[in-house]
Amino acid sequence: MSFLGDKAEGPPITNVMFLKTHKTASSTVLNILFRFAETNNLSVALPVGSQFHLGYPWLFLARYVEGVEPSGPKQHFNIMCNHLRFNLPEVQKVMPKDTFYFSILRNPVFQLESSFVYYKDHTPAFRGVTSLEAFLASPWTYYNWSLGLSNIYARNNMWFDLGFDNNAPAEEGYVRASLAAVEQRFQLVLIAEHFDESMVLLRRLLRWRLDDVVSFSLNSRSRRTVTSLTPEGQERAQRWCALDWRLYQHFNRTFWAKVHAELGLQRLRAEVELLRVRRRELEALCLQDGGPKNQLQITDRLLRPYQSGKADILGYNLRLGLDNQTLQMCRRMVMPELQYMAHLYTLQFPEKPPKKIPFLEE
Protein backbone atom coordinates (compact mmCIF):
# COMPACT_ATOMS: atom_id res chain seq x y z
CA MET A 1 0.00 0.00 0.00
CA SER A 2 1.72 3.18 -1.07
CA PHE A 3 1.25 6.92 -1.18
CA LEU A 4 3.34 8.10 -4.12
CA GLY A 5 6.05 5.64 -3.19
CA ASP A 6 5.81 5.94 0.61
CA LYS A 7 4.72 2.98 2.69
CA ALA A 8 1.61 3.32 4.80
CA GLU A 9 2.39 2.77 8.47
CA GLY A 10 0.51 -0.28 9.65
CA PRO A 11 -2.53 -2.22 8.44
CA PRO A 12 -5.71 -0.54 7.17
CA ILE A 13 -8.20 0.72 9.74
CA THR A 14 -11.32 -1.42 9.60
CA ASN A 15 -13.45 -0.09 12.49
CA VAL A 16 -15.08 3.05 11.12
CA MET A 17 -18.09 5.17 12.12
CA PHE A 18 -19.26 7.66 9.49
CA LEU A 19 -21.91 10.17 10.56
CA LYS A 20 -23.94 10.45 7.37
CA THR A 21 -25.25 14.02 7.18
CA HIS A 22 -28.03 14.98 4.75
CA LYS A 23 -27.47 16.42 1.25
CA THR A 24 -23.68 16.59 1.61
CA ALA A 25 -22.41 13.96 -0.90
CA SER A 26 -22.70 11.48 1.98
CA SER A 27 -24.38 8.81 -0.19
CA THR A 28 -21.20 8.60 -2.25
CA VAL A 29 -19.14 8.14 0.94
CA LEU A 30 -21.60 5.49 2.14
CA ASN A 31 -21.06 3.55 -1.10
CA ILE A 32 -17.29 3.65 -0.51
CA LEU A 33 -17.79 2.22 2.99
CA PHE A 34 -20.28 -0.45 1.88
CA ARG A 35 -17.85 -1.58 -0.85
CA PHE A 36 -14.95 -1.70 1.59
CA ALA A 37 -17.04 -3.75 4.01
CA GLU A 38 -18.16 -6.23 1.34
CA THR A 39 -14.70 -6.57 -0.21
CA ASN A 40 -13.08 -7.22 3.18
CA ASN A 41 -15.91 -9.31 4.66
CA LEU A 42 -16.56 -6.80 7.45
CA SER A 43 -19.76 -6.46 9.50
CA VAL A 44 -21.99 -3.39 9.06
CA ALA A 45 -24.35 -1.93 11.69
CA LEU A 46 -27.55 -2.07 9.63
CA PRO A 47 -31.08 -0.87 10.52
CA VAL A 48 -33.27 -3.44 12.23
CA GLY A 49 -36.03 -5.28 10.35
CA SER A 50 -37.67 -3.35 7.53
CA GLN A 51 -36.12 0.00 8.55
CA PHE A 52 -33.77 2.00 6.32
CA HIS A 53 -32.44 4.49 8.91
CA LEU A 54 -30.92 3.89 12.33
CA GLY A 55 -33.84 5.52 14.14
CA TYR A 56 -33.53 8.90 12.42
CA PRO A 57 -34.70 11.57 13.25
CA TRP A 58 -34.73 10.40 16.89
CA LEU A 59 -31.44 10.22 18.78
CA PHE A 60 -29.69 6.95 17.98
CA LEU A 61 -30.20 3.97 20.28
CA ALA A 62 -28.25 0.70 20.04
CA ARG A 63 -31.48 -1.28 19.65
CA TYR A 64 -32.02 0.33 16.23
CA VAL A 65 -29.25 -1.97 14.90
CA GLU A 66 -30.07 -5.46 13.60
CA GLY A 67 -28.43 -8.17 15.70
CA VAL A 68 -28.20 -6.13 18.91
CA GLU A 69 -30.11 -7.83 21.72
CA PRO A 70 -30.60 -5.58 24.79
CA SER A 71 -30.25 -8.49 27.20
CA GLY A 72 -27.72 -10.44 25.17
CA PRO A 73 -23.91 -10.20 24.91
CA LYS A 74 -22.42 -7.02 23.44
CA GLN A 75 -22.41 -7.06 19.64
CA HIS A 76 -19.77 -4.95 17.91
CA PHE A 77 -19.62 -4.07 14.20
CA ASN A 78 -16.80 -2.86 11.95
CA ILE A 79 -18.65 -0.23 9.93
CA MET A 80 -21.49 2.12 10.83
CA CYS A 81 -22.64 4.59 8.18
CA ASN A 82 -26.44 4.67 7.79
CA HIS A 83 -28.37 7.83 8.64
CA LEU A 84 -28.66 8.42 12.37
CA ARG A 85 -28.80 11.33 14.80
CA PHE A 86 -25.53 11.16 16.69
CA ASN A 87 -25.68 9.92 20.28
CA LEU A 88 -22.19 8.88 21.36
CA PRO A 89 -22.97 6.67 24.42
CA GLU A 90 -25.33 4.53 22.33
CA VAL A 91 -22.98 4.40 19.33
CA GLN A 92 -20.23 3.16 21.68
CA LYS A 93 -22.43 0.22 22.63
CA VAL A 94 -22.16 -1.19 19.09
CA MET A 95 -18.79 0.11 17.86
CA PRO A 96 -15.35 -0.98 19.18
CA LYS A 97 -13.20 1.31 21.34
CA ASP A 98 -10.65 1.89 18.56
CA THR A 99 -13.26 3.10 16.03
CA PHE A 100 -12.27 5.91 13.65
CA TYR A 101 -15.05 8.56 13.61
CA PHE A 102 -15.56 10.90 10.67
CA SER A 103 -18.28 12.94 8.99
CA ILE A 104 -18.83 15.34 6.09
CA LEU A 105 -20.18 18.90 5.85
CA ARG A 106 -21.29 21.10 2.98
CA ASN A 107 -21.69 24.85 2.61
CA PRO A 108 -25.07 25.41 4.32
CA VAL A 109 -26.27 27.65 1.50
CA PHE A 110 -26.01 24.79 -1.00
CA GLN A 111 -27.03 22.17 1.55
CA LEU A 112 -30.25 24.08 2.29
CA GLU A 113 -30.98 24.52 -1.44
CA SER A 114 -30.59 20.77 -1.95
CA SER A 115 -32.79 20.01 1.07
CA PHE A 116 -35.48 22.38 -0.20
CA VAL A 117 -35.75 20.51 -3.49
CA TYR A 118 -35.34 17.01 -2.06
CA TYR A 119 -37.60 17.36 0.99
CA LYS A 120 -40.14 19.82 -0.45
CA ASP A 121 -43.02 17.38 0.04
CA HIS A 122 -41.87 16.08 3.46
CA THR A 123 -41.18 19.34 5.31
CA PRO A 124 -44.08 21.56 6.47
CA ALA A 125 -41.92 24.69 6.28
CA PHE A 126 -41.23 24.08 2.58
CA ARG A 127 -44.63 22.85 1.41
CA GLY A 128 -46.46 26.16 1.23
CA VAL A 129 -43.76 28.24 -0.46
CA THR A 130 -42.88 28.45 -4.15
CA SER A 131 -39.10 28.92 -3.88
CA LEU A 132 -36.26 28.86 -1.37
CA GLU A 133 -35.67 32.55 -2.12
CA ALA A 134 -39.25 33.31 -0.99
CA PHE A 135 -38.82 31.12 2.11
CA LEU A 136 -35.60 32.90 3.12
CA ALA A 137 -37.19 36.35 2.62
CA SER A 138 -39.59 35.55 5.47
CA PRO A 139 -38.73 32.17 7.05
CA TRP A 140 -40.84 32.58 10.20
CA THR A 141 -43.92 32.89 8.00
CA TYR A 142 -43.44 29.24 7.02
CA TYR A 143 -41.31 27.73 9.78
CA ASN A 144 -43.07 26.64 12.96
CA TRP A 145 -40.44 25.54 15.51
CA SER A 146 -43.10 23.81 17.61
CA LEU A 147 -43.49 21.18 14.85
CA GLY A 148 -40.10 19.89 16.01
CA LEU A 149 -38.80 16.85 14.14
CA SER A 150 -40.99 17.35 11.05
CA ASN A 151 -39.10 20.56 10.17
CA ILE A 152 -35.52 19.44 10.77
CA TYR A 153 -34.54 19.69 7.08
CA ALA A 154 -35.48 23.39 6.98
CA ARG A 155 -32.93 24.75 9.46
CA ASN A 156 -29.43 23.79 10.70
CA ASN A 157 -29.89 20.18 9.60
CA MET A 158 -26.19 19.28 9.88
CA TRP A 159 -26.12 20.65 13.44
CA PHE A 160 -29.17 18.49 14.19
CA ASP A 161 -27.54 15.37 12.71
CA LEU A 162 -24.64 15.84 15.13
CA GLY A 163 -27.12 15.51 17.99
CA PHE A 164 -27.56 19.21 18.82
CA ASP A 165 -30.65 21.45 18.94
CA ASN A 166 -31.12 22.96 15.48
CA ASN A 167 -33.27 25.78 16.93
CA ALA A 168 -30.80 26.84 19.64
CA PRO A 169 -29.67 30.50 19.63
CA ALA A 170 -26.19 30.88 18.10
CA GLU A 171 -24.65 32.14 21.35
CA GLU A 172 -20.87 32.20 21.30
CA GLY A 173 -20.24 30.03 24.38
CA TYR A 174 -22.71 27.36 23.27
CA VAL A 175 -21.35 27.27 19.72
CA ARG A 176 -17.72 27.02 20.87
CA ALA A 177 -18.49 24.23 23.34
CA SER A 178 -20.43 22.29 20.69
CA LEU A 179 -17.66 22.65 18.09
CA ALA A 180 -15.10 21.49 20.66
CA ALA A 181 -17.23 18.40 21.42
CA VAL A 182 -17.39 17.49 17.72
CA GLU A 183 -13.67 18.06 17.29
CA GLN A 184 -12.89 15.88 20.30
CA ARG A 185 -14.91 12.92 18.99
CA PHE A 186 -14.41 13.04 15.20
CA GLN A 187 -10.89 12.47 13.95
CA LEU A 188 -11.83 13.94 10.57
CA VAL A 189 -14.60 16.11 9.12
CA LEU A 190 -14.63 16.16 5.33
CA ILE A 191 -15.80 19.03 3.14
CA ALA A 192 -18.15 18.23 0.25
CA GLU A 193 -16.92 21.13 -1.92
CA HIS A 194 -13.46 19.54 -1.80
CA PHE A 195 -14.58 15.95 -2.25
CA ASP A 196 -11.51 14.57 -4.01
CA GLU A 197 -9.16 16.26 -1.55
CA SER A 198 -11.32 14.79 1.22
CA MET A 199 -10.95 11.29 -0.21
CA VAL A 200 -7.18 11.64 -0.44
CA LEU A 201 -6.96 12.71 3.21
CA LEU A 202 -9.40 10.02 4.34
CA ARG A 203 -7.43 7.38 2.45
CA ARG A 204 -4.22 8.46 4.12
CA LEU A 205 -5.66 8.42 7.64
CA LEU A 206 -7.38 5.04 7.14
CA ARG A 207 -4.36 3.56 5.29
CA TRP A 208 -6.59 2.27 2.48
CA ARG A 209 -5.77 1.51 -1.16
CA LEU A 210 -6.53 4.00 -3.94
CA ASP A 211 -9.35 1.84 -5.37
CA ASP A 212 -11.00 1.77 -1.93
CA VAL A 213 -11.81 5.49 -2.18
CA VAL A 214 -12.45 5.92 -5.91
CA SER A 215 -16.15 6.52 -6.53
CA PHE A 216 -18.81 7.75 -8.92
CA SER A 217 -21.13 10.48 -7.67
CA LEU A 218 -24.32 8.92 -6.25
CA ASN A 219 -27.69 10.45 -5.35
CA SER A 220 -26.81 13.61 -7.28
CA ARG A 221 -29.37 15.77 -9.08
CA SER A 222 -29.60 16.80 -12.70
CA ARG A 223 -28.51 20.39 -13.25
CA ARG A 224 -32.01 21.45 -14.26
CA THR A 225 -33.24 20.87 -10.69
CA VAL A 226 -30.47 22.97 -9.09
CA THR A 227 -31.30 26.62 -8.32
CA SER A 228 -28.77 29.38 -7.67
CA LEU A 229 -29.65 31.78 -4.88
CA THR A 230 -29.11 35.53 -5.29
CA PRO A 231 -26.28 37.04 -3.19
CA GLU A 232 -28.97 38.39 -0.84
CA GLY A 233 -30.57 34.95 -0.63
CA GLN A 234 -27.19 33.40 0.21
CA GLU A 235 -26.64 35.89 3.05
CA ARG A 236 -30.12 35.13 4.37
CA ALA A 237 -29.39 31.38 4.24
CA GLN A 238 -26.19 31.92 6.25
CA ARG A 239 -28.11 33.89 8.89
CA TRP A 240 -31.05 31.44 8.95
CA CYS A 241 -28.69 28.47 9.34
CA ALA A 242 -26.21 30.32 11.56
CA LEU A 243 -25.29 27.19 13.55
CA ASP A 244 -24.56 25.22 10.38
CA TRP A 245 -22.60 28.18 9.02
CA ARG A 246 -20.36 28.29 12.11
CA LEU A 247 -19.96 24.51 11.95
CA TYR A 248 -18.95 24.64 8.29
CA GLN A 249 -16.54 27.56 8.70
CA HIS A 250 -14.80 25.90 11.65
CA PHE A 251 -14.34 22.49 10.03
CA ASN A 252 -13.36 23.95 6.70
CA ARG A 253 -10.42 25.48 8.58
CA THR A 254 -9.55 22.28 10.46
CA PHE A 255 -9.77 20.28 7.22
CA TRP A 256 -7.12 22.38 5.50
CA ALA A 257 -4.96 22.40 8.64
CA LYS A 258 -5.03 18.58 8.53
CA VAL A 259 -4.19 18.59 4.82
CA HIS A 260 -1.12 20.75 5.48
CA ALA A 261 -0.06 18.62 8.45
CA GLU A 262 -0.55 15.23 6.76
CA LEU A 263 0.30 15.88 3.12
CA GLY A 264 1.19 19.42 2.11
CA LEU A 265 -0.35 21.02 -0.96
CA GLN A 266 2.10 19.62 -3.54
CA ARG A 267 1.53 16.05 -2.48
CA LEU A 268 -2.21 16.64 -2.15
CA ARG A 269 -2.40 17.85 -5.76
CA ALA A 270 -0.44 14.84 -6.99
CA GLU A 271 -2.67 12.37 -5.14
CA VAL A 272 -5.88 14.12 -6.25
CA GLU A 273 -4.68 13.74 -9.82
CA LEU A 274 -4.02 10.01 -9.26
CA LEU A 275 -7.55 9.65 -7.89
CA ARG A 276 -9.10 11.47 -10.86
CA VAL A 277 -7.11 9.47 -13.41
CA ARG A 278 -8.28 6.23 -11.78
CA ARG A 279 -11.90 7.45 -11.72
CA ARG A 280 -11.73 8.22 -15.46
CA GLU A 281 -10.32 4.74 -16.10
CA LEU A 282 -13.17 3.14 -14.19
CA GLU A 283 -15.78 5.33 -15.90
CA ALA A 284 -14.45 4.16 -19.27
CA LEU A 285 -14.41 0.55 -18.06
CA CYS A 286 -17.79 0.45 -16.29
CA LEU A 287 -20.18 3.03 -17.62
CA GLN A 288 -22.23 3.04 -20.77
CA ASP A 289 -21.86 6.47 -22.42
CA GLY A 290 -19.51 7.46 -19.60
CA GLY A 291 -21.85 9.44 -17.39
CA PRO A 292 -25.00 9.62 -15.24
CA LYS A 293 -28.55 9.18 -16.58
CA ASN A 294 -32.00 10.15 -15.37
CA GLN A 295 -34.17 7.36 -14.01
CA LEU A 296 -36.12 6.80 -17.25
CA GLN A 297 -32.87 6.15 -19.12
CA ILE A 298 -31.62 3.50 -16.65
CA THR A 299 -32.34 0.11 -18.18
CA ASP A 300 -31.72 -2.04 -15.08
CA ARG A 301 -34.52 -1.07 -12.70
CA LEU A 302 -32.54 -2.49 -9.75
CA LEU A 303 -30.00 0.28 -10.37
CA ARG A 304 -32.58 3.08 -10.36
CA PRO A 305 -32.14 5.49 -7.45
CA TYR A 306 -34.96 6.59 -5.16
CA GLN A 307 -36.61 9.83 -6.30
CA SER A 308 -37.72 12.47 -3.79
CA GLY A 309 -39.48 15.83 -3.92
CA LYS A 310 -38.73 17.92 -7.00
CA ALA A 311 -35.24 16.44 -7.41
CA ASP A 312 -34.26 14.46 -10.50
CA ILE A 313 -31.86 11.91 -9.00
CA LEU A 314 -29.38 10.44 -11.47
CA GLY A 315 -28.00 6.91 -11.78
CA TYR A 316 -25.94 4.84 -14.21
CA ASN A 317 -26.09 2.21 -16.93
CA LEU A 318 -23.28 -0.36 -16.99
CA ARG A 319 -21.49 -1.30 -20.17
CA LEU A 320 -22.66 -4.50 -21.81
CA GLY A 321 -20.39 -7.53 -22.17
CA LEU A 322 -18.33 -7.07 -19.01
CA ASP A 323 -16.73 -10.21 -17.58
CA ASN A 324 -18.26 -11.40 -14.32
CA GLN A 325 -15.56 -10.08 -11.99
CA THR A 326 -15.54 -6.63 -13.62
CA LEU A 327 -19.34 -6.56 -13.67
CA GLN A 328 -19.50 -7.23 -9.92
CA MET A 329 -16.98 -4.46 -9.18
CA CYS A 330 -18.73 -1.94 -11.44
CA ARG A 331 -22.17 -2.87 -10.13
CA ARG A 332 -21.08 -2.17 -6.55
CA MET A 333 -19.82 1.26 -7.58
CA VAL A 334 -23.15 2.35 -9.10
CA MET A 335 -25.55 0.56 -6.74
CA PRO A 336 -27.90 3.08 -5.09
CA GLU A 337 -27.92 3.36 -1.32
CA LEU A 338 -31.16 1.54 -0.51
CA GLN A 339 -30.42 -1.38 -2.83
CA TYR A 340 -26.87 -1.77 -1.47
CA MET A 341 -28.11 -1.74 2.11
CA ALA A 342 -30.72 -4.40 1.31
CA HIS A 343 -28.00 -6.47 -0.41
CA LEU A 344 -25.67 -6.29 2.62
CA TYR A 345 -28.57 -7.07 4.96
CA THR A 346 -29.29 -10.29 3.07
CA LEU A 347 -25.59 -11.25 3.16
CA GLN A 348 -25.31 -10.58 6.91
CA PHE A 349 -28.68 -11.91 8.00
CA PRO A 350 -29.64 -14.65 5.49
CA GLU A 351 -32.04 -16.17 8.03
CA LYS A 352 -34.15 -12.96 8.24
CA PRO A 353 -36.74 -11.71 5.71
CA PRO A 354 -35.01 -9.51 3.11
CA LYS A 355 -35.57 -5.76 3.19
CA LYS A 356 -38.23 -4.65 0.72
CA ILE A 357 -37.66 -1.49 -1.28
CA PRO A 358 -41.17 -0.15 -1.96
CA PHE A 359 -40.42 1.95 -5.06
CA LEU A 360 -38.79 -1.05 -6.82
CA GLU A 361 -41.91 -3.15 -6.24
CA GLU A 362 -44.41 -0.72 -7.78
Side-chain angles (χ1 to χ4, degrees), residues 209-255:
R209 299 173 307 121
L210 178 63
D211 273 10
D212 292 330
V213 299
V214 178
S215 62
F216 305 142
S217 181
L218 295 178
N219 207 35
S220 61
R221 290 178 288 157
S222 63
R223 291 220 173 109
R224 69 176 180 79
T225 62
V226 178
T227 306
S228 295
L229 287 174
T230 62
E232 189 178 24
Q234 292 192 32
E235 283 181 26
R236 285 170 171 164
Q238 288 174 14
R239 286 199 299 273
W240 175 244
C241 293
L243 295 167
D244 271 1
W245 182 241
R246 286 292 303 277
L247 184 70
Y248 176 77
Q249 284 183 305
H250 178 84
F251 284 103
N252 193 28
R253 284 194 296 272
T254 66
F255 174 80

Side-chain angles (χ1 to χ4, degrees), residues 49-119:
S50 60
Q51 299 301 306
F52 288 100
H53 290 158
L54 291 168
Y56 195 87
W58 291 276
L59 280 169
F60 173 76
L61 297 174
R63 64 181 172 83
Y64 297 149
V65 176
E66 187 67 80
V68 172
E69 300 296 337
S71 56
K74 269 195 174 175
Q75 173 72 34
H76 281 162
F77 296 86
N78 300 115
I79 306 285
M80 175 182 259
C81 55
N82 284 82
H83 274 308
L84 59 83
R85 189 177 181 209
F86 194 63
N87 184 10
L88 180 61
E90 291 290 313
V91 170
Q92 288 175 322
K93 290 179 182 178
V94 295
M95 295 302 291
K97 280 200 173 83
D98 64 350
T99 295
F100 181 96
Y101 288 76
F102 78 105
S103 189
I104 188 167
L105 300 174
R106 183 182 184 187
N107 184 318
V109 174
F110 307 127
Q111 192 272 345
L112 186 63
E113 186 276 331
S114 183
S115 288
F116 182 83
V117 175
Y118 198 85
Y119 297 112

Side-chain angles (χ1 to χ4, degrees), residues 73-206:
K74 269 195 174 175
Q75 173 72 34
H76 281 162
F77 296 86
N78 300 115
I79 306 285
M80 175 182 259
C81 55
N82 284 82
H83 274 308
L84 59 83
R85 189 177 181 209
F86 194 63
N87 184 10
L88 180 61
E90 291 290 313
V91 170
Q92 288 175 322
K93 290 179 182 178
V94 295
M95 295 302 291
K97 280 200 173 83
D98 64 350
T99 295
F100 181 96
Y101 288 76
F102 78 105
S103 189
I104 188 167
L105 300 174
R106 183 182 184 187
N107 184 318
V109 174
F110 307 127
Q111 192 272 345
L112 186 63
E113 186 276 331
S114 183
S115 288
F116 182 83
V117 175
Y118 198 85
Y119 297 112
K120 182 96 170 65
D121 302 333
H122 302 287
T123 303
F126 292 157
R127 273 189 215 131
V129 63
T130 53
S131 68
L132 180 58
E133 204 80 54
F135 172 81
L136 289 167
S138 182
W140 289 110
T141 303
Y142 308 99
Y143 185 88
N144 182 347
W145 66 268
S146 69
L147 290 176
L149 296 181
S150 58
N151 264 334
I152 51 169
Y153 301 116
R155 192 182 195 203
N156 294 313
N157 188 217
M158 296 183 290
W159 192 262
F160 178 87
D161 287 349
L162 282 158
F164 303 126
D165 177 3
N166 61 316
N167 288 310
E171 293 169 351
E172 191 61 28
Y174 167 69
V175 171
R176 283 176 181 265
S178 303
L179 294 175
V182 176
E183 199 160 348
Q184 187 175 2
R185 170 42 52 198
F186 290 84
Q187 287 99 314
L188 178 62
V189 177
L190 307 176
I191 300 297
E193 283 77 17
H194 305 290
F195 190 83
D196 288 350
E197 292 84 354
S198 291
M199 290 303 101
V200 164
L201 185 54
L202 179 69
R203 178 197 165 203
R204 179 177 177 82
L205 294 177
L206 294 180

